Amino acid sequence: MGSYPRVLIAGGGIGGLTAALALARMGCEVAVYEQAAELREVGAGIQLAANGTHVLYALGVGEALKALSCEAEGKEIRIWNSGETWKLFDLGKVSIERYGYPYLTVYRPDLLGVLERAVRSEKRALIHLGAKCIGFQQTETSVTLQLENGSTVDGDVLVGADGVHSRIRQGLFGPDKPQFTGVVAWRGIVPMERLPRHMVRMVGTNWVGPGGHVVHYPLRAGKVMNFVGALERSDWQVESWSARGTTGELAADFAGWHDDVHALIRNIPVPFKWALMVRPPMERWSVGRVTLLGDACHSMVPFLAQGANMAIEDGYIMARALTELPGDVGSRLKAYENARRERTRRAVEGSADNIQRFHNRALADPARAREYVSREWAGAPIAERYEWLFRYDVTTAELD
Ligand SMILES: Cc1cc2nc3c(=O)[nH]c(=O)nc-3n(C[C@H](O)[C@H](O)[C@H](O)COP(=O)(O)OP(=O)(O)OC[C@H]3O[C@@H](n4cnc5c(N)ncnc54)[C@H](O)[C@@H]3O)c2cc1C
């Protein structure tokens, strides 16, 4: 093996493709094995904060993504029933002034499309579709990835970027035991022209209420609004991007919420639901020449909007560790893991903390609700919850 390893990546989602692009740009040969026949993310939105867009700019795809996205002017907090509104923070120009990079709201298929085109333009990178990974074996000198079609491929390093139900994680550590949070997340896309005029704004909004919250933000240059509605209920425990519900069931879950929330709900053509699970932070996720990234090793509830941002950061830092550090691949992968453990643990825990913050019972009582929101979303607590996330610089983060 020369100093640059040949890397196999299981999973061509946001994390796997970012890792592939970073590795190829830094000089490695890399091959992605994705189970889907086509690289088409579910039709949903995603928020990419400055820490994530920083990576995409460093990889040369920031402007291409920005052209397809929305740059929200800011974020607001609203009370579930009264609709009273507070500013959460400014984004737009302020994100660039403060953190150097934009805060983008992106349609997931657009993000995957931009990453896929960039990876395919690299001569050192290959993407294999319809390639389901079922296991691996490693020796002192190489790793062999097994595909469902019976074929095998050899490389120097294997990265499991195969998401929350990762086969590679199972191969390393056995079956996991996710715990249901008691929260179900509804999601959907609303054509903007169907919304009342006062709701057609380039801002992200978080509605908070007792036992639930709703997040919505514009996508695709303001043509559609992304909706996520989280609600505490115990009768749905399937962790899936493709489980459908009905607008009737969704409207019933948010009975009593403000008219603006219902204007969104009744205009969602097909709502989907996802049971939110938590997994305890992993102490380690590299063994020998096999490692993990993204949701495969630190899935989190989406209440800091950082799961994909963390997967994107992982990919870049892992590529740096494999190309900048001396030593065998095992020690380089350990350095990657060491650089990521504490930050991702904090994101997992911070996301879970937001369940009780967003769903607080104080929000049931109008007088206490105002006092609660004014305190929790004041400048200092917001800075404490978000600055450490947005300011992270993948290009200079320490590796040892
Ligand atoms: C409702 C909701 C809203 C969210 N909003 C945000 C947000 O605003 N901002 C944010 O940063 N994060 C958000 N997240 C989190 C984000 O979606 C995930 O953290 C992110 O998708 C993780 O990326 P990944 O590449 O690790 O995994 P995935 O996106 O799950 O990709 C894994 C890939 O691996 C493939 N795969 C799986 N198994 C195999 C196999 N055996 N062989 C080959 N391929 C395989 C899959 O097909 C898939 O393409 C949200 C999550 C949810 C549920």
Side-chain angles (χ1 to χ4, degrees), residues 29-42:
E29 277 181 38
V30 55
V32 177
Y33 296 85
E34 163 61 43
Q35 65 183 4
E38 242 183 301
L39 278 177
R40 270 210 348 237
E41 262 270 16
V42 291

Side-chain angles (χ1 to χ4, degrees), residues 164-165 176 178 236-243 273-279 299:
V164 78
H165 304 294
D176 74 332
W236 176 259
Q237 301 199 6
V238 181
E239 202 177 18
S240 154
W241 279 114
S242 52
K273 52 186 178 176
W274 170 296
L276 294 172
M277 305 282 177
V278 279
R279 295 167 171 80
S299 69

Side-chain angles (χ1 to χ4, degrees), residues 184-203:
V184 171
W186 285 95
R187 59 183 177 76
I189 297 282
V190 187
M192 199 68 96
E193 72 271 8
R194 294 210 201 152
L195 290 176
R197 283 189 72 82
H198 72 273
M199 293 184 72
V200 180
R201 296 171 60 228
M202 294 301 112
V203 295

